[in-house]
Amino acid sequence: MKALNILFGLLLIGHSAISQGLNNEVIRANMLVDWERAKVYTKEYLDAMPESGINFKPKADMRSFAEQMLHMSQSTMTVISIATGTEPLYQDKVLEKMKEYKNKAALTKLVMESYDYAIQSIEKMDASKMDSLIRRGNYETDQFGWLNKAFEHQTHHRAQTTIYLRLKGIKAPNEKLF
């Protein structure tokens, strides 16, 4: 079964980096397309939530919609900075605790800024070093692995906010797989 899953996965990405020669420049180009798509998708989530729902929490011990987005944004900038060697924005702040970003306009601006930071950092990085190992704490992987972790994390937290929208009676944006 595992072999079938691997084969299926390879068939799905047949028109992506592998079929184009799987070199670091192609991988970076594909990542940039995915980050641009993720930015548009996340903006749709931010646009869908009305101002009255920005600080909504499904339960008292959970993050609010804004806190999910702020956590996602700060983590994106942190992990991208590890991957690319760039200076992270807001590094001495805990964004999800800051009241000034818990309104729709300020939240949207900051979240879009985090995507722009990721995109610009990936554009400027030296793609020839994508297989260079980078250690942070107890975790070590190559630059490519750190970039993937950043993308995976933002996807995870945006997906969590689907429930927030649904609990407010709002239809979540349609998936943007392509």
Side-chain angles (χ1 to χ4, degrees), residues 56-64 164 167:
F56 170 67
K57 292 183 175 190
K59 292 181 66 185
D61 62 341
M62 293 176 69
R63 286 181 173 121
S64 68
Y164 293 63
L167 287 171

Side-chain angles (χ1 to χ4, degrees), residues 69-138:
M69 291 289 182
L70 291 167
H71 170 79
M72 175 194 75
S73 298
Q74 186 150 40
S75 295
T76 292
M77 291 183 282
T78 299
V79 178
I80 289 292
S81 76
I82 294 167
T84 62
T86 55
E87 193 68 30
L89 305 176
Y90 306 101
Q91 70 183 50
D92 295 328
K93 302 189 185 299
V94 181
L95 295 177
E96 69 182 272
K97 302 295 182 196
M98 298 178 70
K99 288 188 183 248
E100 61 262 36
Y101 298 114
K102 293 184 178 175
N103 64 75
K104 189 166 181 156
L107 177 65
T108 300
K109 182 178 182 298
L110 189 137
V111 172
M112 293 298 99
E113 183 180 22
S114 75
Y115 279 96
D116 290 340
Y117 170 81
I119 292 162
Q120 290 165 9
S121 296
I122 294 167
E123 284 174 340
K124 293 176 186 173
M125 72 181 213
D126 181 354
S128 72
K129 297 180 180 178
M130 205 164 305
D131 60 351
S132 299
L133 290 177
I134 302 168
R135 174 175 284 287
R136 178 75 179 249
N138 293 326

Side-chain angles (χ1 to χ4, degrees), residues 21 30 35 41 54 118 126 151 170:
N30 277 276
W35 277 100
Y41 193 25
I54 293 297
D126 181 354
F151 195 82
I170 301 164

Side-chain angles (χ1 to χ4, degrees), residues 13-60:
I13 60 175
H15 293 291
S16 67
I18 288 176
S19 68
Q20 297 175 40
L22 194 58
N23 66 60
N24 291 351
E25 290 298 333
V26 171
I27 291 169
R28 177 174 53 190
N30 277 276
M31 285 183 165
L32 289 168
V33 168
D34 285 342
W35 277 100
E36 290 286 355
R37 177 179 46 83
K39 178 182 174 183
V40 169
Y41 193 25
T42 302
K43 179 76 165 58
E44 290 178 4
Y45 271 76
L46 291 160
D47 290 345
M49 182 61 86
E51 183 74 48
S52 63
I54 293 297
N55 292 298
F56 170 67
K57 292 183 175 190
K59 292 181 66 185

